[in-house]
Amino acid sequence: MNLLVTGGAGFIGSHTVIELINAGHRPIIIDNFSNSEPFIIERLKKITGKKIISYVFDYGIKDKTREIIEKEKIDGVVHFAAFKQVGESVEVPLKYYSNNVSNLINLLALAQECLVKYFVFSSSCTVYGEPDSLPLTEDSPIKAPTSPYGSTKQMGENILQDTTRTSQQLRSISLRYFNPIGAHPSALIGELPIGVPANLVPFITQTAAGIRKSLTVHGNDYPTPDGTPIRDYIHVIDLARAHVGAIEYLIDKNPCFYDVFNIGTGQGSSVLEVINTFETVTGIKLNYSIGARRNGDTSAVYASVNKAHKQLGWKAKETLSSSLADAWRWQKSLGKV
């Protein structure tokens, strides 16, 4: 299957390109490298042993995207090209609404126009907000968003659902990610945060590498066993494989089909548990301190993934230990870039 992968050089996108190739599909990347690096394309070629088809431009340029869809005879879209920093979205909301919503609308219009059959959307567990109960299922309440980023994910799901259900040919799925971590075991690709990392694991690995002097744990007075927030950390390769499962699940569906799936491990790990596991796996003692809570942080969020297990035939295989070992191997390799 010919699959357009927007943002295919990014953290999740690049790992998904590998898994799509492994499954016999033909991914075609569009990426403007606003949150990735050009060297990733060559590394994908090295990992897969395949020619990587990629185009360098902003997917929001509608005429160029139409040209690629037609030229490459695109059957489906796996859409990653969205801005994702919660704090930045609060500071520059129009940047997020423009790219994550307006450009999505343009992409779906092209999918309709060019008779694309399949669409997988990169959504987020942020759509749930502060949970009433755990684990979160796909039927858990969708709360009012706490940031423009969260708003764009809720809007994206609604726009995709409404578009699909009035389409003559489109079938689509929204995958609600929990917390992606890790890297490819080759250490050739992984997460490349710009500036100060917003996520825990790259901050841990940068602290261990001496790039950051110390790590601050934001709050130890939450109603959790050790007082620190709990999240569902999933290896990026497991997450990538879920996209393969989603695309292949759609093949047998009729036009107008739409559904959502949680993609996590089904287990929560606290911040201190992640730190302690990293220290055990690497033998490195981290310099960290306890700080104040951050505004907007929830005490615990983790997924029920029974629906993905039963319907997509997908299940996370990697552990927290293997995820952190891969993340550390990737961090150490960055000096070779």
Side-chain angles (χ1 to χ4, degrees):
M1 191 185 301
N2 297 326
L3 297 170
L4 185 68
V5 184
T6 65
F11 178 40
I12 302 170
S14 59
H15 289 81
T16 300
V17 165
I18 293 169
E19 297 306 319
L20 288 169
I21 290 173
N22 289 344
H25 299 292
R26 179 174 174 263
I28 294 94
I29 295 171
I30 291 178
D31 204 303
N32 64 0
F33 299 119
S34 64
N35 195 34
S36 56
E37 296 290 345
F39 72 80
I40 295 297
I41 302 299
E42 282 303 311
R43 293 191 174 193
L44 291 175
K45 180 179 178 181
K46 186 173 182 179
I47 291 168
T48 63
K50 303 285 187 180
K51 178 182 178 181
I52 303 298
I53 304 168
S54 64
Y55 297 90
V56 184
F57 66 91
D58 191 319
Y59 86 101
I61 303 174
K62 196 172 180 180
D63 288 344
K64 284 191 175 183
T65 301
R66 178 190 293 107
E67 179 184 336
I68 300 309
I69 290 174
E70 292 174 346
K71 174 184 175 182
E72 301 292 350
K73 298 179 172 56
I74 296 299
D75 301 300
V77 174
V78 185
H79 180 47
F80 296 105
F83 297 133
K84 60 180 184 179
Q85 301 298 337
V86 171
E88 183 187 50
S89 77
V90 174
E91 296 170 2
V92 282
L94 288 181
K95 174 181 177 180
Y96 278 69
Y97 289 119
S98 176
N99 184 60
N100 295 11
V101 179
S102 295
N103 285 347
L104 171 63
I105 291 170
N106 288 336
L107 183 60
L108 283 170
L110 287 176
Q112 293 276 69
E113 177 185 330
C114 299
L115 303 181
V116 171
K117 292 182 179 179
Y118 313 110
F119 200 105
V120 176
F121 176 63
S122 169
S123 191
S124 168
C125 64
T126 58
V127 300
Y128 295 115
E130 179 73 46
D132 293 330
S133 62
L134 292 169
L136 285 162
T137 74
E138 289 81 358
D139 294 323
S140 294
I142 303 298
K143 301 291 189 65
T146 58
S147 70
Y149 167 74
S151 293
T152 67
K153 289 303 179 183
Q154 288 188 7
M155 290 179 186
E157 287 193 9
N158 291 335
I159 291 165
L160 180 58
Q161 180 178 18
D162 292 343
T163 303
T164 302
R165 288 183 173 168
T166 58
S167 173
Q168 298 301 308
Q169 87 291 337
L170 196 62
R171 304 96 161 146
S172 64
I173 281 174
S174 292
L175 297 181
R176 293 173 178 166
Y177 309 162
F178 281 69
N179 293 69
I181 60 172
H184 195 269
S186 67
L188 288 173
I189 62 171
E191 190 169 4
L192 282 169
I194 296 173
V196 178
N199 298 327
L200 174 62
V201 171
F203 212 112
I204 285 174
T205 59
Q206 288 189 10
T207 301
I211 298 169
R212 307 286 164 193
K213 291 183 178 180
S214 65
L215 168 70
T216 299
V217 176
H218 296 288
N220 65 346
D221 58 350
Y222 287 91
T224 62
D226 64 19
T228 63
I230 289 173
R231 298 291 182 267
D232 189 336
Y233 297 95
I234 178 171
H235 197 296
V236 66
I237 289 179
D238 282 329
L239 178 54
R241 290 172 179 152
H243 293 79
V244 178
I247 279 289
E248 295 181 347
Y249 181 71
L250 288 174
I251 292 173
D252 295 329
K253 298 303 176 185
N254 294 323
C256 304
F257 175 85
Y258 173 81
D259 210 345
V260 300
F261 293 90
N262 287 339
I263 304 299
T265 66
Q267 296 181 338
S269 300
S270 73
V271 172
L272 284 182
E273 185 178 353
V274 174
I275 289 172
N276 292 336
T277 302
F278 180 85
E279 291 180 337
T280 299
V281 167
T282 64
I284 297 170
K285 191 70 176 175
L286 289 168
N287 180 22
Y288 70 90
S289 60
I290 305 298
R293 291 188 183 192
R294 291 184 303 191
N295 290 334
D297 273 354
T298 55
S299 58
V301 177
Y302 56 92
S304 165
V305 287
N306 291 335
K307 185 177 177 182
H309 293 180
K310 292 176 182 177
Q311 297 187 32
L312 300 184
W314 170 90
K315 187 174 183 178
K317 298 177 181 178
E318 300 293 332
T319 65
L320 180 61
S321 294
S322 65
S323 301
L324 293 172
D326 286 339
W328 177 233
R329 192 179 300 110
W330 161 245
Q331 179 68 60
K332 290 189 292 183
S333 79
L334 288 176
K336 303 173 185 176
V337 173

